[in-house]
Amino acid sequence: FVLVWEVRSRRKKRSKAKNSGETSAEGSSRSELRRAQLEQWRDRFTQNLQETGLLMEKETANEKKTVHFLKLSAPWDVLVYYAEELCQRAPLQAQPHLNLNTSARVLDKLYIPNILKESVPNRPLDYYTCAFRKSKLNRFLGSSNQENYFTHTQRHRMVYEILSRTVYGKRKRAEVGVDRLINEGAYTAAFPLHEGPFELPGYGVRSEELNQRQVLFHFWARWCKWYKYQPLDHIREYFGEKIGLYFAWLGFYTTWLLPAAVVGTLVFVSGVMTMGSNIPAEEICNNGSNYLMCPLCNTCKAWNMSEICPMAKLGYLFDHPGTVLFSVFMSFWAVTFLEYWKRKMATLAHHWDCMDFHEEEERPRPEFVAMAPMMEENPVTGVKEPYFPEKTRLSRMFTGSMVIIMMLCVVMIFLVTVVMCRGIISIMMFHTGSPVLRTEAGTIANICSSIVNLGLILLMGRVYTALAEQLTKWEMHRTQTQYDNAFILKVFIFQFVNFYSSPFYVAFFKGRFVGYPTNYGTLFGMRNEDCGPGGCLIELAEQLFIIMVGKQLINNVQEFILPKVKAWQQKRTLEKVLGGNGARELQRWEEDYQLLECEGLFEEYLEMVLQFGFITIFVAAFPLAPLFALLNNWVEIRLDAHKFVCEYRRPVAERAQNIGVWFNILEALSHLSVIANAFLIAFTSDFLPRLLYQYKFGSDLHGYVNFSLAYAPLNYTEYPQCRYKAFRDNNGSYTLFYWELLAVRLGFIIVFEHVVFFVLRAIDWIVPDVPESLELKMKRERYLAKQALAENQEALLVITLPLYKMYIICIIFFLTVQIQ
């Protein structure tokens, strides 16, 4: 483990002091005092670290001694003590490697060659384990090999625990831990070292001789490995369980996207192949000139329905019986995916010895410690800690929620702006006089406004994420877990509204409040939007494509370019300080210091969760969404792998048994998708109106176009007898068919939701969260642990038998004496 701090040369400070006036004299004296305090903290911290038993070695980067490195390592006695303190798992008995890939097991049973499988060298061994006990050390496998008994990840986790507990100032002021020292500026970085370079050596070496980082780069992070299984055991061994679970979830999600993408593509292809059988579209193209449609705006002219022939045919691709069935399929897919992920998560948690992991009493965050106004006794530990009044925190959280509501109102304002922008663009297109622009005015307006909307979404997302971070800090959450959960909830609520408000508007509100001739609904003097010629679903598909796919492309470009730019800037800056201009070869710790600090998993999870919402909530309108998500995730896995292996400093390994609050968000989205798809099929799609028409008037859809068009009221004199799409009579009142259709729609929603949620509960009951084979392994492990940790059973037997024999001899001797 390495601690780094930088000290500016005094010559520069003196020169700056000479150039500045008296005002800077006070500032320089303050900076000198601050520098002295930081140096005192570092010395006290180092002294206390030595008392814990850590071994230290100090290095300076160059002759100017401006960058200092303190290398830390833990001897065997310290590791043994903290292994028991932290309840590390110790190996009892080796077991065969588990095949965690379902597809691999199926292909093996069918004797089909598996091109996805690859033998990765140096796979970590799998053991039955139990909690480590120093007194039972000789009963654990490999305990005689002190050099390799603890893995590198376990070692740096224990060293980080020591760094987090060590005092550097006054304990009453909670001046404890390396995190707060970094926050105060005493250290610039603290990180475990990577295990050598990631580049493969130029000469030929066997794969077994590669270090762990080279194995991960060669067999995982390279682009040519996009179709191979991820080496999850190697990832967990190198980066820890928390990062391992993220990549396991991302790989599992991507695998489950494959059947969804195949079915969605087949649905889209079936729509292309059956376009010729779309009777309503054929009637529009062949007899559309017979229908004079009412003007689309106050200054527009009437138009013939035959003008929208291409859009009517294209709209069928996104609104046919196949898309309805696909939305039902995706509702079941979402809930089934989460049920099976729970099983996978339980299997991995046991396989990685995290099944019984519960976070111990967390230490307060460094920022909380620095800003807390008072000290109070912790009811758990009995130690006085910084305290922030709960009443004040609740009032701050309430104020923060008001800010969130205000920002959501800003999003709604932007949405109204985009809607008005779309209306203005369509009117401008209609007034050009061009037949092409006039026909495609709605499509052009929708695409342009969607691009503008995407830009606003990304801009507002950046602004609000920064605002949410400041609000969460201001709320003064005590622990990092509380802080993370509050921050995730704030950002997700905003991003949910930010990304999904426009698709929700098109799916459920657009075209609902148009009115009819002589009684049109208006917003700020403009007539309310109606759905385009192909219906609202095709407009929803256009928006989803631009927002979802556009966001994915922009994010991938950013993830590919930004880390390289940041790394180049950081390397240039540090090369001036370290003197790495070719004069000497940089050491391992200097090379790692030039890498970027790991930014965590928040952005990665948020991106995938938002994608999950797109492919489940609005999938009825865009059956190709799972395909684009699948392609994106193949790229995403390699980008993230390359960042963690090649561009980031090695993060401190964190333990975890699940993906945390993100699973709850995914469950909420899956349930919301069932409701959204039910309403989308019932109210946005033409599936139910056509079905009811076929039931009442005939087995086919001949005459449906004429039936779905109403005549303008008699008092509409501008274009008498023009038509508009609605189930109304000549007075503008709803017809009986409309009310019958409304009853069918509501009935469909109720039946759809009840059936899907019933099947969900059935799957939840049938599919256990913990597989049966895993329960058997857990019982076996508990048995071995009981045997290993039994209190000297063998010793008791060895002692008891001789005592028993002596007792019998004494009795015989006593009886013999009595007889004599």
Side-chain angles (χ1 to χ4, degrees):
F1 214 98
V2 177
L3 301 180
V4 188
W5 70 97
E6 298 182 13
V7 180
R8 292 170 58 190
S9 61
R10 294 186 179 181
R11 291 180 182 177
K12 290 183 179 179
K13 291 182 179 180
R14 288 172 183 171
S15 63
K16 284 184 179 180
K18 289 179 182 179
N19 295 332
S20 58
E22 294 180 358
T23 55
S24 65
E26 294 181 6
S28 61
S29 62
R30 288 176 188 170
S31 63
E32 286 293 331
L33 289 173
R34 179 64 175 169
R35 180 174 170 273
Q37 185 184 39
L38 295 179
E39 191 171 351
Q40 181 182 357
W41 281 349
R42 281 194 298 268
D43 293 341
R44 174 81 184 278
F45 189 66
T46 305
Q47 182 181 352
N48 290 338
L49 287 177
Q50 284 179 329
E51 291 176 1
T52 63
L54 288 184
L55 304 179
M56 300 183 185
E57 187 178 349
K58 188 177 178 182
E59 301 278 352
T60 52
N62 52 19
E63 295 177 357
K64 296 179 182 178
K65 298 184 178 180
T66 54
V67 182
H68 302 269
F69 299 90
L70 185 65
K71 297 186 291 180
L72 307 173
S73 59
W76 172 252
D77 293 339
V78 175
L79 291 173
V80 168
Y81 173 80
Y82 278 94
E84 185 168 358
E85 180 83 4
L86 299 177
C87 296
Q88 294 275 14
R89 305 291 291 185
L92 294 170
Q93 178 181 318
Q95 60 173 324
H97 282 301
L98 286 175
N99 191 352
L100 298 175
N101 293 302
T102 306
S103 59
R105 292 198 298 267
V106 172
L107 292 174
D108 286 343
K109 287 181 180 179
L110 297 175
Y111 300 102
I112 298 175
N114 189 359
I115 62 170
L116 306 177
K117 195 173 182 180
E118 185 175 22
S119 177
V120 182
N122 304 328
R123 182 177 179 180
L125 296 175
D126 195 12
Y127 299 101
Y128 290 110
T129 63
C130 70
F132 182 87
R133 292 288 183 274
K134 184 179 179 180
S135 58
K136 311 294 181 184
L137 186 60
N138 60 336
R139 301 194 182 185
F140 300 133
L141 292 181
S143 57
S144 58
N145 185 0
Q146 296 184 1
E147 288 295 322
N148 299 315
Y149 180 73
F150 294 108
T151 65
H152 291 277
T153 306
Q154 289 174 329
R155 287 168 181 262
H156 83 237
R157 187 185 286 149
M158 287 186 272
V159 172
Y160 180 73
E161 182 67 23
I162 296 171
L163 292 172
S164 300
R165 294 183 180 187
T166 304
V167 179
Y168 63 86
K170 294 183 179 179
R171 187 177 287 277
K172 289 184 178 180
R173 296 180 184 175
E175 293 175 341
V176 180
V178 70
D179 290 331
R180 189 173 176 192
L181 279 172
I182 293 173
N183 196 51
E184 295 284 354
Y187 292 107
T188 56
F191 52 89
L193 285 178
H194 278 294
E195 296 183 17
F198 67 86
E199 300 94 346
L200 299 180
Y203 54 90
V205 295
R206 294 184 303 166
S207 56
E208 291 78 11
E209 297 175 1
L210 300 175
N211 64 46
Q212 284 189 342
R213 193 181 182 195
Q214 289 171 335
V215 168
L216 286 174
F217 174 74
H218 183 70
F219 293 93
W220 178 49
R222 295 195 302 165
W223 288 97
C224 62
K225 302 296 181 181
W226 65 271
Y227 63 96
K228 298 292 185 182
Y229 293 132
Q230 295 187 92
L232 294 178
D233 286 339
H234 294 75
I235 298 168
R236 173 253 180 176
E237 183 77 9
Y238 195 74
F239 292 112
E241 289 80 11
K242 193 170 187 178
I243 293 175
L245 275 173
Y246 163 71
F247 282 105
W249 175 80
L250 182 57
F252 187 80
Y253 170 50
T254 304
T255 303
W256 271 70
L257 279 174
L258 189 58
V262 170
V263 175
T265 305
L266 291 176
V267 167
F268 185 80
V269 171
S270 69
V272 174
M273 295 178 66
T274 58
M275 281 180 68
S277 62
N278 183 17
I279 295 174
E282 292 299 322
E283 287 186 352
I284 290 173
C285 295
N286 298 330
N287 304 318
S289 57
N290 299 332
Y291 304 118
L292 182 68
M293 305 299 293
C294 296
L296 298 174
C297 62
N298 294 331
T299 58
C300 300
K301 296 180 181 180
W303 51 284
N304 287 321
M305 201 172 193
S306 57
E307 295 178 9
I308 64 167
C309 174
M311 292 304 297
K313 289 184 175 180
L314 196 61
Y316 178 77
L317 295 177
F318 305 97
D319 190 4
H320 62 90
T323 58
V324 175
L325 295 175
F326 183 57
S327 65
V328 177
F329 167 80
M330 287 301 295
S331 296
F332 289 119
W333 176 90
V335 295
T336 309
F337 158 69
L338 291 177
E339 285 300 319
Y340 277 90
W341 166 246
K342 282 195 284 189
R343 288 169 59 89
K344 176 83 169 181
M345 193 162 54
T347 304
L348 285 174
H350 179 267
H351 179 54
W352 292 344
D353 297 324
C354 293
M355 180 67 86
D356 299 324
F357 167 70
H358 299 287
E359 290 182 75
E360 61 181 16
E361 179 64 20
E362 281 191 83
R363 287 176 295 275
R365 295 169 52 246
E367 294 86 351
F368 176 85
V369 169
M371 299 176 66
M374 61 183 74
M375 303 285 289
E376 279 203 9
E377 186 177 297
N378 187 317
V380 177
T381 62
V383 179
K384 280 200 170 186
E385 286 184 354
Y387 177 76
F388 191 80
E390 193 65 27
K391 197 173 181 180
T392 309
R393 179 183 292 110
L394 290 175
S395 65
R396 289 190 177 189
M397 291 174 69
F398 178 76
T399 306
S401 63
M402 293 298 104
V403 175
I404 294 173
I405 292 172
M406 185 182 70
M407 292 299 295
L408 295 180
C409 292
V410 173
V411 173
M412 293 295 108
I413 292 171
F414 278 127
L415 176 61
V416 173
T417 305
V418 170
V419 170
M420 296 183 69
C421 173
R422 185 159 50 225
I424 293 170
I425 293 174
S426 59
I427 292 173
M428 290 172 60
M429 294 294 104
F430 201 85
H431 281 292
T432 56
S434 169
V436 177
L437 293 179
R438 182 178 172 182
T439 304
E440 306 297 333
T443 305
I444 296 171
N446 191 46
I447 292 173
C448 293
S449 62
S450 297
I451 294 173
V452 172
N453 190 31
L454 176 61
L456 291 173
I457 285 171
L458 296 177
L459 175 64
M460 290 298 295
R462 293 287 182 186
V463 171
Y464 183 76
T465 301
L467 178 61
E469 188 174 1
Q470 296 303 318
L471 281 174
T472 312
K473 287 180 181 177
W474 183 61
E475 289 171 359
M476 291 291 290
H477 295 281
R478 178 180 170 275
T479 65
Q480 190 64 38
T481 300
Q482 293 171 346
Y483 175 88
D484 290 342
N485 290 343
F487 179 64
I488 288 170
L489 192 61
K490 282 186 185 66
V491 175
F492 177 74
I493 289 173
F494 178 82
Q495 294 287 42
F496 180 88
V497 177
N498 193 27
F499 275 93
Y500 300 147
S501 58
S502 184
F504 261 102
Y505 165 75
V506 174
F508 303 116
F509 297 101
K510 187 175 181 180
R512 301 287 182 273
F513 311 102
V514 178
Y516 56 92
T518 71
N519 190 26
Y520 284 115
T522 58
L523 177 67
F524 300 121
M526 292 182 61
R527 187 194 295 184
N528 290 338
E529 278 191 305
D530 197 359
C531 293
C536 277
L537 282 184
I538 189 171
E539 294 188 25
L540 181 59
E542 291 169 355
Q543 281 216 0
L544 290 175
F545 178 80
I546 291 172
I547 294 175
M548 175 185 162
V549 179
K551 175 184 174 295
Q552 289 179 170
L553 287 173
I554 292 171
N555 281 352
N556 287 336
V557 170
Q558 286 180 339
E559 286 191 41
F560 182 75
I561 294 177
L562 286 183
K564 297 186 184 305
V565 174
K566 288 180 182 178
W568 177 76
Q569 289 178 337
Q570 184 159 323
K571 195 171 182 180
R572 274 194 72 185
T573 304
L574 292 176
E575 272 182 353
K576 297 176 183 177
V577 180
L578 298 174
N581 53 0
R584 66 181 181 87
E585 185 179 352
L586 293 179
Q587 298 293 333
R588 174 80 266 147
W589 49 91
E590 294 174 340
E591 289 182 359
D592 282 10
Y593 185 49
Q594 290 184 347
L595 298 176
L596 299 176
E597 184 179 359
C598 181
E599 297 175 352
L601 297 171
F602 170 76
E603 290 291 342
E604 316 300 337
Y605 272 119
L606 180 63
E607 181 183 353
M608 291 297 106
V609 167
L610 290 172
Q611 182 199 88
F612 182 81
F614 276 119
I615 68 166
T616 53
I617 297 175
F618 306 107
V619 74
F622 192 31
L624 293 179
L627 176 64
F628 286 109
L630 177 66
L631 297 174
N632 172 78
N633 288 7
W634 275 334
V635 175
E636 182 73 23
I637 290 174
R638 299 308 140 194
L639 285 174
D640 289 345
H642 193 271
K643 281 193 303 185
F644 277 96
V645 174
C646 306
E647 294 167 357
Y648 283 165
R649 294 173 191 158
R650 188 176 184 179
V652 176
E654 296 182 60
R655 299 191 74 194
Q657 60 182 351
N658 52 47
I659 61 175
V661 71
W662 294 110
F663 182 80
N664 300 327
I665 293 174
L666 289 170
E667 275 195 319
L669 286 176
S670 67
H671 286 75
L672 177 62
S673 71
V674 175
I675 301 170
N677 279 309
F679 275 90
L680 205 62
I681 296 169
F683 285 96
T684 309
S685 170
D686 273 343
F687 174 72
L688 291 181
R690 293 175 181 179
L691 199 64
L692 183 60
Y693 177 84
Q694 286 179 294
Y695 175 77
K696 291 193 67 174
F697 302 107
S699 58
D700 57 24
L701 291 172
H702 286 292
Y704 174 76
V705 173
N706 183 55
F707 181 78
S708 64
L709 297 177
Y711 286 96
L714 298 175
N715 58 350
Y716 185 68
T717 57
E718 190 172 354
Y719 291 97
Q721 297 296 301
C722 69
R723 310 292 293 272
Y724 65 100
K725 191 172 183 180
F727 296 111
R728 294 178 183 268
D729 58 22
N730 291 338
N731 298 320
S733 302
Y734 288 117
T735 62
L736 178 62
F737 185 86
Y738 171 83
W739 298 110
E740 293 173 343
L741 178 60
L742 181 61
V744 170
R745 284 170 166 167
L746 294 176
F748 174 83
I749 291 170
I750 294 170
V751 171
F752 183 88
E753 289 179 359
H754 279 69
V755 168
V756 174
F757 285 127
F758 173 77
V759 174
L760 166 63
R761 296 304 167 207
I763 293 172
D764 193 15
W765 179 68
I766 294 170
V767 180
D769 292 346
V770 179
E772 187 177 349
S773 59
L774 179 58
E775 287 185 350
L776 184 62
K777 283 188 63 182
M778 291 167 65
K779 290 177 182 177
R780 170 69 176 164
E781 190 167 65
R782 281 195 291 267
Y783 170 77
L784 292 173
K786 188 177 179 181
Q787 293 293 104
L789 300 179
E791 291 295 333
N792 298 327
Q793 290 179 350
E794 295 177 2
L796 284 171
L797 289 173
V798 171
I799 293 171
T800 304
L801 285 174
L803 286 175
Y804 179 67
K805 290 177 180 177
M806 288 178 66
Y807 180 67
I808 293 173
I809 292 169
C810 289
I811 291 174
I812 294 170
F813 177 75
F814 177 76
L815 291 173
T816 306
V817 170
Q818 291 293 329
I819 291 169
Q820 289 177 352

